[in-house]
Structures are given as structure tokens and as C-alpha cells.
Amino acid sequence: MPTTSTTPPAEHRPAEQGATPAPSGGRTVDAPTAADFAAWRELFRGYCELYRVPMSEEKAELVWSWLTDPAHELDGLLVRDTDGTPVGLAHYRPFVRPLHGAVAGFLDDLFVAPAARGTGAVDLLLARLRAIAAERGWNTVRWITADDNHRARSKYDQVATRTMFVTYDMPPADV
């Protein structure tokens, strides 16, 4: 994935440094910090398991390095329970939309631990991402999900508009 943005990650931007208080329940949403690696890794592991994608320590360390690198385009959010424990994650980045002459946000990953589902944790992550989009002047936030991810899709149908685009993946040429 080429790095096309020099926007620093959330933990390095003042507008995103403060936590977003939850409307109820005392949950917060903020950028991950160095102390969050172990908890983030367990959430990321759960996300990988959900989509049946292997997660090695090397992959976790690589993605974490992207999240904590001020020069990398990937940013992250953690929703924290009332005791400050991360219970959900979101990974996002900017992407250009030449057809619209605009920049938008792409939500690559969204995951809430099973025990925290139904508590409003995902609502907090999506609300913070919507606020970040407004702060950065993005004209939309886009994401994809599995067709059979019915629980997530029912939430997404409440907060976003499903598009009619079909997604394709093409491997790189053999070199």
C-alpha cells in the first residue's frame, strides 16, 4: 500500500488527542498509545479470526508500526470501557476520489469484542470517525464488509448508505 498522505496518526494531532466521552456508560474513544499494544493485539486477533485470516506476531507488529508511525497514512481508534480497557478498534485512512475531486476516508477495519457488542461501542467508534471526517474535510467515509456479516450490516444500514458497487481484488503480476 503506497503512502500518499503525510497526515500524522491520531495520537499526533491535537483535534483527536482528547477522548470522546460516551453519551452514557462512561466509555471513551481515542487514539491508541504505546501502552495499548497488548490489548489492541487481542482485538486485532479477534478481527482476524472473524474473517478467518491468519494473524502472526509479525503481522500484528507491522500493523501496529503503521498505527504508531507519524508518517504512515493508517490511523486508529480504540473504544474503551469504563475502566479504560480497549473493547473495540477502528483502522482508517484517507483516500483520493478523482471523479469527485475530493478526499474521503476509508474504514479498513472495525471490530468490537464479543462481550462489548450491543453496548454502543460501535456507535462511539463510528461517531468519532464521522467527526474526524468533518474535521479533515473528507466528503465521505467508505468501507466494505462481508455479505454474510449480518449483524454488522444491520448497524451499517442505520448509519450509512449501501452502494451498488461490486468489489474486486486483483493480485499483482508475477515479477
Side-chain angles (χ1 to χ4, degrees):
M1 171 172 42
T3 302
T4 58
S5 170
T6 58
T7 306
E11 66 191 44
H12 301 285
R13 285 190 293 277
E16 296 166 29
Q17 198 161 9
T20 302
S24 64
R27 290 181 182 81
T28 58
V29 176
D30 57 14
T33 66
D36 293 319
F37 177 68
W40 169 87
R41 182 181 55 216
E42 288 311 304
L43 290 167
F44 190 57
R45 182 182 321 281
Y47 180 70
C48 289
E49 288 172 2
L50 176 70
Y51 284 107
R52 296 177 183 89
V53 174
M55 190 200 86
S56 63
E57 255 331 280
E58 293 78 21
K59 181 194 298 187
E61 289 173 10
L62 176 63
V63 174
W64 183 253
S65 76
W66 293 342
L67 288 170
T68 57
D69 178 354
H72 200 278
E73 67 185 345
L74 187 68
D75 282 325
L77 294 170
L78 293 174
V79 61
R80 299 171 189 281
D81 214 340
T82 55
D83 66 358
T85 301
V87 296
L89 63 77
H91 300 150
Y92 62 96
R93 61 189 159 82
F95 76 99
V96 297
R97 300 183 72 200
L99 185 61
H100 298 280
V103 176
F106 194 87
L107 175 59
D108 285 290
D109 311 311
L110 182 65
F111 180 78
V112 173
R117 292 179 188 161
T119 66
V122 74
D123 297 306
L124 291 171
L125 286 165
L126 292 171
R128 183 65 191 121
L129 190 55
R130 178 175 271 171
I132 290 167
E135 292 164 8
R136 296 190 186 177
W138 292 346
N139 73 341
T140 196
V141 176
R142 175 174 291 161
W143 63 90
I144 60 174
T145 195
D147 187 56
D148 65 351
N149 193 349
H150 302 291
R151 181 176 182 144
R153 288 182 59 196
S154 68
K155 171 52 71 178
Y156 301 159
D157 288 343
Q158 295 171 20
V159 300
T161 302
R162 182 176 177 258
T163 70
M164 297 308 297
F165 289 94
V166 177
T167 303
Y168 293 90
D169 286 340
M170 181 173 67
D174 291 332
V175 185

